[in-house]
Amino acid sequence: MKLLVINPNISASVSQLIHDEAVRSASADTRIEVVTARAGVAYIETRFEAMLGAHAAAQLAAEHVAEADAVIVAAFGDPGLTALREVLPCPVTGLTEAALASACLLGQRFSIVAISQRIRAWYAETVHAYRLDGRLASIRGLDEPLADIGNVQGNQGERLVQLAERCVREDGADVIVLAGAPLAGLARSIAGRIPVPVVDGVSSAVRHAETLVRMGAGRARAGSFAAPPAKAHQGLSDEVAALLALVQRQ
Amino acid sequence: MKLLVINPNISASVSQLIHDEAVRSASADTRIEVVTARAGVAYIETRFEAMLGAHAAAQLAAEHVAEADAVIVAAFGDPGLTALREVLPCPVTGLTEAALASACLLGQRFSIVAISQRIRAWYAETVHAYRLDGRLASIRGLDEPLADIGNVQGNQGERLVQLAERCVREDGADVIVLAGAPLAGLARSIAGRIPVPVVDGVSSAVRHAETLVRMGAGRARAGSFAAPPAKAHQGLSDEVAALLALVQRQ
Amino acid sequence: MKLLVINPNISASVSQLIHDEAVRSASADTRIEVVTARAGVAYIETRFEAMLGAHAAAQLAAEHVAEADAVIVAAFGDPGLTALREVLPCPVTGLTEAALASACLLGQRFSIVAISQRIRAWYAETVHAYRLDGRLASIRGLDEPLADIGNVQGNQGERLVQLAERCVREDGADVIVLAGAPLAGLARSIAGRIPVPVVDGVSSAVRHAETLVRMGAGRARAGSFAAPPAKAHQGLSDEVAALLALVQRQ
Amino acid sequence: MKLLVINPNISASVSQLIHDEAVRSASADTRIEVVTARAGVAYIETRFEAMLGAHAAAQLAAEHVAEADAVIVAAFGDPGLTALREVLPCPVTGLTEAALASACLLGQRFSIVAISQRIRAWYAETVHAYRLDGRLASIRGLDEPLADIGNVQGNQGERLVQLAERCVREDGADVIVLAGAPLAGLARSIAGRIPVPVVDGVSSAVRHAETLVRMGAGRARAGSFAAPPAKAHQGLSDEVAALLALVQRQ
Amino acid sequence: MKLLVINPNISASVSQLIHDEAVRSASADTRIEVVTARAGVAYIETRFEAMLGAHAAAQLAAEHVAEADAVIVAAFGDPGLTALREVLPCPVTGLTEAALASACLLGQRFSIVAISQRIRAWYAETVHAYRLDGRLASIRGLDEPLADIGNVQGNQGERLVQLAERCVREDGADVIVLAGAPLAGLARSIAGRIPVPVVDGVSSAVRHAETLVRMGAGRARAGSFAAPPAKAHQGLSDEVAALLALVQRQ
Amino acid sequence: MKLLVINPNISASVSQLIHDEAVRSASADTRIEVVTARAGVAYIETRFEAMLGAHAAAQLAAEHVAEADAVIVAAFGDPGLTALREVLPCPVTGLTEAALASACLLGQRFSIVAISQRIRAWYAETVHAYRLDGRLASIRGLDEPLADIGNVQGNQGERLVQLAERCVREDGADVIVLAGAPLAGLARSIAGRIPVPVVDGVSSAVRHAETLVRMGAGRARAGSFAAPPAKAHQGLSDEVAALLALVQRQ
């Protein structure tokens, strides 16, 4: 099985974190390909940045999906995920969707621990779009600027653990979701220090993607995730145009 | 006052409909500039198409906002609206947001009459993102393919009136929202035939944009609509990069 | 255009504040008539007081609506608004409804800053009745008795600014709504000191009322805002009885 | 124990129906006094009519509460109920609130069977104000004009039974609420013909009022049902002014 | 009238508290029989303990219901209540359901004061299952281990009063629900010290059970509370098997 | 890896269906042990039957968990699942929870196709308890009595396909969940005939259980899924008592 993992941001250091955790999480016979956005920002905290990331993710998906059995959008907030689900020939998931699915299998209410204050509104809207507000205990975030997006875990690890503990003690969280690709792999190292299950987006996405492939559930030929109806378009990249044509033929 | 009206789709015929209704609705001293996407599809029915439209709208906004007092995203579903609100120096609204604001001032529950069945899921998710589900009576759509996106009103006008009547009689709608730029101006011509107030997206957006400008409410310097924090980026168009730099300096 | 602005309370000093802000907000060719309740209380904080205000507003509307193009119920909480929408021949809005519509066009979540602690429950129920709970970040109120309802802004202005700042910083508000007719005009003077857009009820109501008149959306002949079915009544004032008869004939 | 039962409408024939069912339902040592509005309409179907009824109910309560141990607002929709709870020295309930409490003790989801189509929106808003939407299966109403409000049961009894059956079969109702004072006593006569428990507003209100008196829960001295803060007022009836003064002293 | 009151826990001391408050609350001609679980835990704080309690309650109900006019499940959280409603020939209620019904008749928002921190999640899920989240202001609990489940009131009475006061002042509660059979009777002794109405589960359940019997609403023959469809079973106790057979014949 | 799969019902034929689909779904190195309730009913349609199943599942779990890496409660509605999560030393999931997690990874809104009309209320309450109502498009069920619970697929396969098609066409489902252990494996055989992804509870539970084991998320030592606090108990089976003691020591 081949999983295409798309970093919709431009940070190669984060792509490396994603890659390492994806490989650690995947089954022995699963191959991981991580691709990185050519256009966009270092990491996504806002709706505008997410819009940029969604567009970049679509371009990367169109370029690389041909050999993939499933696709992962590897930024929290899942930029472009539901859009891609309409047009990709294979299953697609994202870090938030997958982490929340894991969290829902481990407890009733989860908290999200995030890398900044600003990012909280965007995450809250993502959870709302998934209609999982009823499971959300809280979203807490770091409140200092990030010196190095590729080393948040090293610089802020202790503070992240403290935030997680407060989510359990003060907010009633049954599960902690460590949010954001820059935290990929952190759950593994701090799990023992948090008194409830801790969930990581990358490993959740890799495992659930494997499951979706093995379930063979197929893609929608009707409903809101069927291919967009064929209609005039212009100015799309060759790869995106080809992807649309492909899925509309199916 | 100058309003920049962005058609995030490529249909010049729809831009003309938008322009005509915008001019009819605007105050005497308001100038209207309608710009049309260079990249995208003929009209938006799905999440993927909306993602394309959001990206195109951002590029057009970045190119043209300098002279505008307010910006309107002129496609139902408001592709890119909340993203643009973070980065534009002036107020911005969209057809759905503005039509729903009008509807909420005219009654308790509104129905949306739309140009296709497929579009209903996307509209429902838009209403949900605005957390206005509690005001939504129903979404009904035409169920035939559209022969000509620039002439839906002519070809399907009677059918749209019938859908509106069913929304009132069967779904309990207090107000009808005619959805989609291709229906711009229709409310004006059929209002007398529907037994409840009928709302149009373009005229609502023009009037509410004028109000926002006159209120002088200013843009956010804190909270989730403040400018995105400055961070590394690459591959953005010159205009988008300049827009980001501008708003981050403010 | 003539706007009838109804103060459902007995405070002439508040009527003056309402009048001044209404005139400042209105278009050049809009005339403003403010009328003040003959029966009722100084200002509304509770459900019982709102019931008194609703009845007084209906009487004033019945007396004065003949020459009006639109009616505004000028107390936060909108006493009697949805009742009046059933029976008035022209559009009607209220301070809360209008301020919330403005807020929804400026951001995702708003906070309400109010003149007392006690008033918070009544405002929360108003927001709930409008099914806008999902947009509400918080309601904060002054916690000292009001020495002079006509000079809350002068006596408590600094404290109101501080409350607004806490709404942004602690509650995640994207927009601040300054609630209550006694605060009419305050948004104008403190806007620069609050880091997010600030909304005023009176100016919102005046501008949206103008928009409703210009949209010409008409009144409902069916649905829940059609005229009440004709039936026996007794003991109503002549003006209210005449209003009922008028709307039932339409 | 003495229960004051207020018909906020002007129909003496409905007051008689209310009286008869109240007496049938009350404990042996409970006295029932039914009073009828002097100002208002024959029966309430809309928000405007409910506003009239609320005002009339407050006047009647102020006149008659002195000797009462509890008060019942005897119209479905509970006009003025939460307002009166702020100012009356004794417990107060209403037909809807009480019927819904009974229904919630008998099953998970209830349907409301009502006397007209028009009344449905008003009932839906009442259920929403009580935040019991999650328990509501449906609201169904008669669709013919009522020839005689005092004899709906006789004229439309069969049709009401059929509506109730559809609520069970098609809407998943566990309990049927027969709504509106004109149906007082009907539950008693048709209970055997409906395959789920049937609830009547008058008998529910009488029994729950007795319970509230016996519980001796007392009235609120803090929170949103404490007496309205003392403040200037004018133009109120002597009885209402005296009631306000009384409760503000307590 | 005979009420069967089931303590689904094994604590005889709590059964005595339940008995005493039930007798104090009941009408003069109502007989009270309290039975105590033979299998289970001392008191319920978690979902697992509630599951044990539900099973024990069903066994006790099957053994003793023959002579009862109504049944009360006398533990907060109502273990087994909705299950028993399907199979018992008479009305059944529980401490939470009944207390919440009382609270809803006394105010808009209630807080629950509970005997431990741990129990809060289970209570929150119970309120959610009853779809009364919209009425819930808060749940606060004692934070020390209980030395003696039969004497919580004596040991922790002051602390419980303080928690109730905080619910009113900080959480906006209109009504306080004292939760848990170990607090049976406490409302009676502290009512004067709390500035809002205080509700007790046992007295609420006794009074509402009496009302349900007197209303004669009957049991469901259709819908989700009809008897479970007859089907193969094995290993059930003789009493439970007989109860199933009885209700399936009706 | 060893998965303990608990059929909380007494039907050996259904246990066989569960076993076969579990083996088909599991990874090569996963062993499956299916155990069948000794006490209970043939299949669960109601709250009372679910209560019986929960108790039986707890007993079986306590007897067999020692050698298991994860536990699956193999009846739709997940009887006892959240209770078991508090006391089992390893991950536990259920058919509904797991199927809904799969569905949420495949689309936005799912419909549940079930084996009877009666079962719909119980499933709706299960979805509500998981706070996934916002994702639920509809629940449709067979409307004929089941001749043979072990051969529903053979007898009713065509009818189930038709129900699924209606969920897509009329209810807007993006994903179909085939509900109930008696339908284990059906998704596999009819997937090609339904135009949207089809999800099976048993295979979802097996795959997600494998994921939970591999994630090593650990069990809660705090929060609402920590072990129940130690307290007096009596009358529990030796196995359940031992399980409680074990988890309380951890």
Side-chain angles (χ1 to χ4, degrees):
Chain A
M1 189 186 310
K2 162 100 176 280
L3 301 184
L4 173 65
V5 183
I6 297 173
N7 180 2
N9 295 309
I10 60 172
S11 302
S13 60
V14 175
S15 291
Q16 188 62 47
L17 289 170
I18 294 168
H19 176 269
D20 293 350
E21 179 61 16
V23 168
R24 277 192 295 264
S25 305
S27 297
D29 57 348
T30 296
R31 283 174 301 135
I32 301 290
E33 177 186 12
V34 179
V35 295
T36 306
R38 293 185 298 269
V41 296
Y43 56 98
I44 296 172
E45 291 178 291
T46 81
R47 305 166 189 92
F48 186 78
E49 294 166 345
M51 183 274 294
L52 295 175
H55 196 259
Q59 178 60 31
L60 290 170
E63 293 173 8
H64 297 274
V65 72
E67 303 158 46
D69 294 292
V71 172
I72 292 170
V73 179
F76 223 75
D78 297 349
L81 171 58
T82 57
L84 286 173
R85 189 167 283 141
E86 296 175 356
V87 297
L88 294 185
C90 63
V92 54
T93 187
L95 298 205
T96 303
E97 177 185 82
L100 269 44
S102 296
C104 287
L105 293 163
L106 288 163
Q108 183 69 6
R109 300 174 77 232
F110 53 80
S111 283
I112 298 176
V113 174
I115 60 172
S116 78
Q117 291 293 308
R118 177 60 189 269
I119 214 167
R120 294 171 62 209
W122 163 237
Y123 284 177
E125 293 185 4
T126 302
V127 173
H128 180 70
Y130 291 151
R131 300 177 195 228
L132 288 171
D133 319 55
R135 303 294 283 263
L136 181 66
S138 62
I139 305 178
R140 289 182 181 266
L142 295 172
D143 45 19
E144 295 171 27
L146 302 178
D148 174 3
I149 191 62
N151 193 16
V152 182
Q153 301 180 37
N155 295 339
Q156 300 275 356
E158 281 311 301
R159 180 70 180 125
L160 290 162
V161 170
Q162 290 164 15
L163 287 176
E165 284 167 347
R166 291 187 62 188
C167 292
V168 176
R169 203 170 52 240
E170 299 177 26
D171 308 330
D174 296 318
V175 184
I176 298 296
V177 176
L178 292 176
L183 303 187
L186 182 62
R188 217 173 266 277
S189 57
I190 67 167
R193 299 179 54 197
I194 311 292
V196 299
V198 183
V199 167
D200 172 79
V202 172
S203 64
S204 292
V206 166
R207 291 181 194 287
H208 292 317
E210 290 181 347
T211 287
L212 295 176
V213 173
R214 290 198 186 114
M215 289 178 73
R219 60 159 284 129
R221 300 187 312 275
S224 82
F225 289 99
K231 63 187 63 156
H233 64 73
Q234 71 178 37
L236 307 183
S237 75
D238 291 349
E239 294 85 357
V240 166
L243 179 62
L244 267 176
L246 173 74
V247 75
Q248 284 165 348
R249 273 199 307 272
Q250 285 184 331
Chain B
M1 188 187 308
K2 162 99 178 280
L3 301 184
L4 173 65
V5 183
I6 297 172
N7 179 1
N9 296 310
I10 60 171
S11 302
S13 61
V14 175
S15 290
Q16 189 62 47
L17 289 170
I18 294 168
H19 177 269
D20 293 351
E21 179 61 16
V23 169
R24 277 190 296 264
S25 305
S27 297
D29 58 347
T30 297
R31 284 175 300 137
I32 302 290
E33 177 184 14
V34 180
V35 295
T36 306
R38 293 186 298 269
V41 296
Y43 56 99
I44 295 172
E45 293 178 291
T46 81
R47 305 166 189 93
F48 186 79
E49 294 166 345
M51 184 274 292
L52 295 175
H55 197 258
Q59 178 60 31
L60 290 170
E63 293 173 9
H64 297 273
V65 72
E67 304 157 45
D69 294 293
V71 172
I72 293 170
V73 178
F76 223 77
D78 297 349
L81 171 57
T82 57
L84 286 173
R85 188 166 284 142
E86 296 175 356
V87 297
L88 293 187
C90 62
V92 54
T93 187
L95 298 205
T96 303
E97 178 185 80
L100 269 44
S102 296
C104 287
L105 293 163
L106 289 163
Q108 183 68 7
R109 299 174 77 230
F110 55 79
S111 283
I112 297 176
V113 173
I115 60 173
S116 76
Q117 290 294 308
R118 177 58 189 270
I119 214 167
R120 293 171 63 209
W122 164 237
Y123 284 177
E125 294 184 3
T126 301
V127 173
H128 180 71
Y130 291 151
R131 300 178 194 228
L132 289 170
D133 319 53
R135 302 294 281 264
L136 181 67
S138 61
I139 305 176
R140 289 182 181 266
L142 295 172
D143 45 18
E144 294 172 29
L146 302 177
D148 175 3
I149 191 63
N151 193 17
V152 181
Q153 302 180 35
N155 295 338
Q156 300 274 354
E158 283 310 301
R159 180 70 180 125
L160 290 162
V161 170
Q162 290 163 15
L163 288 176
E165 285 166 348
R166 292 188 61 186
C167 292
V168 176
R169 206 170 50 240
E170 299 177 27
D171 307 331
D174 296 317
V175 183
I176 297 296
V177 176
L178 292 176
L183 302 187
L186 182 62
R188 218 172 266 276
S189 56
I190 67 167
R193 300 179 56 196
I194 310 292
V196 299
V198 182
V199 168
D200 172 79
V202 171
S203 64
S204 292
V206 166
R207 291 179 194 287
H208 292 317
E210 289 181 346
T211 288
L212 294 176
V213 173
R214 291 199 186 113
M215 289 179 72
R219 60 158 285 129
R221 301 187 310 276
S224 82
F225 289 99
K231 63 188 63 155
H233 64 73
Q234 71 178 37
L236 307 184
S237 75
D238 291 349
E239 294 84 0
V240 166
L243 179 63
L244 267 176
L246 172 75
V247 76
Q248 284 164 348
R249 273 197 309 272
Q250 287 185 330
Chain C
M1 188 186 306
K2 162 101 176 280
L3 301 184
L4 173 65
V5 183
I6 297 173
N7 179 1
N9 296 311
I10 60 171
S11 302
S13 60
V14 174
S15 291
Q16 188 62 47
L17 290 170
I18 294 168
H19 176 270
D20 293 351
E21 178 62 15
V23 168
R24 278 192 295 264
S25 305
S27 297
D29 57 347
T30 296
R31 283 174 302 137
I32 301 290
E33 177 185 14
V34 179
V35 294
T36 306
R38 292 184 300 269
V41 296
Y43 56 98
I44 296 172
E45 293 179 292
T46 80
R47 304 165 188 93
F48 186 78
E49 295 166 344
M51 184 274 293
L52 295 175
H55 195 259
Q59 178 60 31
L60 290 170
E63 293 173 8
H64 296 274
V65 71
E67 304 157 45
D69 293 292
V71 172
I72 292 170
V73 179
F76 223 77
D78 298 349
L81 171 58
T82 57
L84 286 174
R85 188 167 283 141
E86 296 175 356
V87 298
L88 293 186
C90 62
V92 54
T93 187
L95 299 205
T96 303
E97 178 185 80
L100 270 44
S102 296
C104 287
L105 293 163
L106 288 163
Q108 182 69 7
R109 299 174 77 231
F110 54 80
S111 283
I112 298 176
V113 173
I115 60 173
S116 77
Q117 290 293 308
R118 176 59 188 270
I119 215 166
R120 294 171 63 209
W122 163 237
Y123 285 178
E125 293 185 4
T126 301
V127 173
H128 179 71
Y130 292 151
R131 300 177 195 230
L132 288 171
D133 319 54
R135 304 293 283 264
L136 181 67
S138 61
I139 305 178
R140 288 182 181 265
L142 295 172
D143 45 18
E144 295 172 27
L146 302 178
D148 175 3
I149 191 63
N151 193 18
V152 182
Q153 302 180 36
N155 295 337
Q156 300 275 353
E158 283 310 301
R159 181 70 181 124
L160 290 162
V161 170
Q162 289 164 16
L163 288 176
E165 285 167 348
R166 291 188 62 188
C167 292
V168 175
R169 202 169 54 239
E170 299 178 26
D171 307 331
D174 297 317
V175 184
I176 297 297
V177 176
L178 292 176
L183 302 188
L186 181 62
R188 219 171 264 277
S189 56
I190 66 167
R193 300 179 55 195
I194 311 292
V196 299
V198 182
V199 167
D200 172 79
V202 172
S203 65
S204 292
V206 166
R207 292 181 192 287
H208 292 317
E210 290 181 346
T211 288
L212 294 176
V213 173
R214 292 200 184 112
M215 289 179 73
R219 61 158 284 129
R221 301 187 310 275
S224 81
F225 288 99
K231 65 188 63 156
H233 64 74
Q234 72 178 38
L236 307 184
S237 75
D238 291 349
E239 294 85 0
V240 166
L243 179 63
L244 267 176
L246 173 75
V247 75
Q248 283 164 349
R249 273 199 306 274
Q250 286 186 329
Chain D
M1 189 186 309
K2 161 101 178 280
L3 301 184
L4 172 65
V5 183
I6 297 173
N7 179 1
N9 295 311
I10 60 171
S11 302
S13 60
V14 175
S15 291
Q16 189 62 48
L17 289 170
I18 294 167
H19 176 270
D20 293 351
E21 179 61 16
V23 168
R24 277 191 296 263
S25 304
S27 297
D29 57 347
T30 297
R31 282 174 303 136
I32 301 290
E33 177 185 13
V34 179
V35 294
T36 306
R38 292 185 299 269
V41 296
Y43 56 99
I44 296 172
E45 293 179 290
T46 81
R47 304 166 189 93
F48 186 79
E49 294 166 344
M51 183 273 293
L52 295 175
H55 196 258
Q59 178 60 31
L60 290 170
E63 293 173 8
H64 297 274
V65 72
E67 304 158 45
D69 293 293
V71 172
I72 292 170
V73 179
F76 223 77
D78 298 350
L81 171 58
T82 57
L84 286 174
R85 188 166 285 141
E86 296 175 355
V87 297
L88 294 186
C90 63
V92 54
T93 187
L95 299 205
T96 303
E97 177 184 82
L100 269 45
S102 296
C104 288
L105 293 163
L106 288 163
Q108 183 68 6
R109 299 174 78 232
F110 53 81
S111 284
I112 298 176
V113 173
I115 59 172
S116 77
Q117 291 292 309
R118 176 60 188 269
I119 215 167
R120 294 171 62 208
W122 164 237
Y123 284 176
E125 293 185 4
T126 302
V127 173
H128 180 70
Y130 291 151
R131 302 179 193 228
L132 288 170
D133 319 55
R135 302 294 283 263
L136 181 66
S138 61
I139 306 177
R140 290 183 180 266
L142 294 172
D143 45 19
E144 294 171 28
L146 302 178
D148 175 3
I149 191 63
N151 194 17
V152 181
Q153 302 181 35
N155 294 339
Q156 301 274 355
E158 283 310 301
R159 180 70 180 125
L160 290 162
V161 170
Q162 290 163 15
L163 287 175
E165 285 167 348
R166 291 187 62 187
C167 291
V168 176
R169 205 170 51 239
E170 299 178 27
D171 308 330
D174 296 318
V175 184
I176 298 296
V177 176
L178 292 175
L183 302 187
L186 182 62
R188 218 173 267 277
S189 56
I190 67 168
R193 299 179 55 196
I194 310 292
V196 299
V198 182
V199 167
D200 172 79
V202 171
S203 64
S204 292
V206 166
R207 291 180 194 287
H208 293 317
E210 290 181 345
T211 287
L212 294 176
V213 173
R214 290 198 187 114
M215 289 178 74
R219 60 159 283 130
R221 299 187 311 275
S224 81
F225 288 100
K231 64 187 63 156
H233 65 73
Q234 72 180 35
L236 307 184
S237 74
D238 291 349
E239 295 84 359
V240 166
L243 179 62
L244 267 176
L246 173 75
V247 75
Q248 284 165 347
R249 273 198 308 271
Q250 286 185 331
Chain E
M1 189 186 306
K2 162 99 176 281
L3 301 184
L4 173 64
V5 184
I6 297 172
N7 179 1
N9 295 309
I10 60 171
S11 302
S13 61
V14 174
S15 291
Q16 188 63 48
L17 289 170
I18 294 168
H19 177 270
D20 293 350
E21 179 61 17
V23 168
R24 277 191 296 263
S25 306
S27 298
D29 58 346
T30 296
R31 283 175 301 137
I32 302 290
E33 178 185 13
V34 180
V35 295
T36 306
R38 293 186 298 268
V41 296
Y43 56 99
I44 296 172
E45 293 178 290
T46 80
R47 305 166 188 94
F48 186 79
E49 295 166 344
M51 183 274 293
L52 295 175
H55 196 259
Q59 178 61 31
L60 290 170
E63 292 173 9
H64 296 275
V65 72
E67 303 157 46
D69 294 292
V71 172
I72 292 170
V73 179
F76 224 76
D78 298 349
L81 171 57
T82 57
L84 286 173
R85 189 167 283 140
E86 296 175 355
V87 297
L88 293 186
C90 63
V92 54
T93 188
L95 298 205
T96 303
E97 177 185 80
L100 270 45
S102 296
C104 288
L105 293 163
L106 289 162
Q108 183 69 7
R109 299 174 77 230
F110 54 80
S111 283
I112 298 175
V113 173
I115 59 173
S116 77
Q117 290 293 308
R118 178 59 189 271
I119 215 167
R120 294 171 63 209
W122 163 236
Y123 284 177
E125 294 185 2
T126 301
V127 173
H128 180 70
Y130 291 152
R131 299 177 195 229
L132 288 170
D133 319 55
R135 303 293 283 264
L136 181 66
S138 61
I139 305 177
R140 289 183 180 266
L142 296 171
D143 45 20
E144 294 171 28
L146 303 178
D148 174 3
I149 191 61
N151 193 18
V152 181
Q153 302 181 36
N155 294 339
Q156 300 274 355
E158 283 310 301
R159 180 70 181 124
L160 290 162
V161 170
Q162 289 164 16
L163 288 176
E165 286 167 347
R166 291 188 62 188
C167 292
V168 175
R169 204 169 52 239
E170 299 178 26
D171 308 331
D174 297 317
V175 184
I176 298 296
V177 176
L178 292 175
L183 302 186
L186 182 62
R188 217 172 266 276
S189 56
I190 67 167
R193 300 179 55 197
I194 310 290
V196 298
V198 182
V199 167
D200 172 79
V202 171
S203 65
S204 292
V206 167
R207 291 182 194 286
H208 292 317
E210 290 181 345
T211 287
L212 295 176
V213 173
R214 291 198 186 114
M215 289 178 73
R219 58 159 286 129
R221 301 187 310 275
S224 82
F225 288 100
K231 64 188 62 157
H233 65 73
Q234 72 178 37
L236 306 184
S237 75
D238 291 349
E239 294 84 0
V240 167
L243 179 62
L244 267 176
L246 173 74
V247 75
Q248 285 164 348
R249 273 199 308 272
Q250 286 186 328
Chain F
M1 189 186 307
K2 162 98 178 281
L3 301 184
L4 173 64
V5 183
I6 297 173
N7 179 1
N9 296 310
I10 60 172
S11 303
S13 60
V14 175
S15 291
Q16 189 62 47
L17 290 169
I18 294 167
H19 177 270
D20 293 352
E21 179 61 16
V23 168
R24 277 192 295 264
S25 306
S27 297
D29 57 347
T30 296
R31 283 174 302 136
I32 302 290
E33 177 184 13
V34 180
V35 294
T36 307
R38 293 185 299 269
V41 296
Y43 57 98
I44 296 172
E45 293 178 291
T46 81
R47 304 165 188 93
F48 186 79
E49 294 166 344
M51 182 275 293
L52 295 175
H55 196 259
Q59 179 59 31
L60 290 170
E63 293 174 7
H64 297 275
V65 71
E67 304 157 46
D69 294 291
V71 172
I72 292 169
V73 179
F76 224 77
D78 298 349
L81 171 58
T82 57
L84 286 173
R85 188 167 284 141
E86 295 175 355
V87 297
L88 294 186
C90 62
V92 53
T93 188
L95 298 205
T96 303
E97 178 184 81
L100 269 46
S102 296
C104 287
L105 293 163
L106 289 163
Q108 183 68 6
R109 299 174 76 232
F110 54 81
S111 283
I112 298 176
V113 173
I115 60 173
S116 77
Q117 290 293 307
R118 176 60 188 270
I119 215 166
R120 294 171 63 207
W122 164 237
Y123 284 176
E125 294 185 3
T126 301
V127 173
H128 179 71
Y130 291 150
R131 299 177 195 227
L132 288 171
D133 319 53
R135 304 293 283 264
L136 181 65
S138 63
I139 305 176
R140 290 183 180 266
L142 295 172
D143 45 19
E144 294 171 29
L146 303 177
D148 175 3
I149 191 62
N151 193 17
V152 181
Q153 301 181 37
N155 295 339
Q156 300 274 355
E158 283 310 301
R159 180 71 181 124
L160 290 162
V161 170
Q162 290 164 15
L163 288 176
E165 286 167 346
R166 291 188 62 188
C167 292
V168 176
R169 203 169 53 240
E170 300 178 25
D171 308 330
D174 296 318
V175 183
I176 297 297
V177 175
L178 292 175
L183 302 187
L186 181 63
R188 216 172 267 279
S189 56
I190 67 167
R193 299 180 55 195
I194 310 292
V196 299
V198 183
V199 166
D200 172 79
V202 171
S203 64
S204 291
V206 166
R207 291 181 194 286
H208 292 317
E210 289 181 346
T211 288
L212 295 176
V213 173
R214 291 197 187 114
M215 288 179 73
R219 61 158 284 129
R221 301 188 309 276
S224 83
F225 288 99
K231 64 188 62 156
H233 65 73
Q234 72 179 36
L236 307 183
S237 75
D238 291 350
E239 294 85 358
V240 166
L243 179 62
L244 267 175
L246 172 74
V247 76
Q248 284 164 346
R249 273 198 308 273
Q250 286 185 329

